[in-house]
């Protein structure tokens, strides 16, 4: 299976130099709003980043993230973080730490999309979200039942 729903170069281009504005969960996906530039983060909406890109991650069955601190070397800059054989992607942060994405069975997925454009991601597609929102707005608990 392919870990990247977007081409790796597209992911790298969207992430390099971007600032993380917000992180949230949508179903089984982690949605990270990205922004460029130096303007302060805006909290006007929690649903989508109004003018940026979104980094979408699905961990699959065995995917995990970890953050590695830079290993100090006695004679200078930090050494490169050791990545194991299950590491599918990694991102260097501006503070020297590295975010590692490990996935044993390779079911996890990574994509970048313009904010709110989920057409390439079937489980986040607008039709699915619209259905869930419509259902949530119309359904009320008719009669709760508890068994002792």
């Amino acid at each position: 299976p392919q870990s990247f729903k977007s081409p790796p170069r597209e992911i790298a281009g969207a992430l390099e130099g971007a600032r993380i504005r917000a992180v949230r969960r949508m179903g089984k996906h982690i949605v990270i709003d990205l922004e460029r530039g130096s303007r302060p983060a805006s909290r006007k909406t929690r649903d989508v980043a109004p003018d940026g890109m979104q980094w979408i991650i699905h961990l699959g069955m065995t995917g995990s993230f970890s953050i590695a601190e830079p290993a100090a070397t006695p004679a200078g800059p930090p050494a490169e973080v050791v990545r194991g054989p299950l590491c599918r992607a990694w991102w260097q942060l501006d503070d020297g730490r590295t975010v590692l994405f490990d996935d044993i069975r390779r079911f996890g997925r990574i994509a970048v999309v313009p904010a709110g454009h989920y057409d390439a991601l079937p489980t986040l597609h607008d039709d699915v979200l619209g259905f869930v929102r419509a259902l949530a707005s119309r359904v009320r608990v008719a009669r709760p039942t508890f068994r002792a």
Side-chain angles (χ1 to χ4, degrees), residues 28-42:
K28 293 183 179 182
H29 293 81
I30 300 167
V31 177
I32 302 170
D33 295 334
L34 304 171
E35 71 179 4
R36 295 204 174 267
S38 58
R39 70 174 197 267
S42 169

Side-chain angles (χ1 to χ4, degrees), residues 6-23:
S6 301
R9 285 186 183 185
E10 184 179 328
I11 295 171
L15 297 179
E16 188 172 356
R19 175 177 222 91
I20 295 174
R21 187 174 145 255
V23 178

Side-chain angles (χ1 to χ4, degrees), residues 94-136:
D94 63 358
D95 66 359
R97 295 180 298 164
T98 303
V99 177
L100 303 164
F101 174 61
D102 293 323
D103 191 8
I104 296 169
R105 298 185 69 191
R106 300 182 73 152
F107 291 147
R109 299 287 176 261
I110 301 169
V112 290
V113 298
H117 293 264
Y118 306 127
D119 297 338
L121 307 165
T123 56
L124 274 181
H125 192 274
D126 290 336
D127 292 342
V128 174
L129 292 175
F131 170 75
V132 170
R133 286 186 188 116
L135 183 63

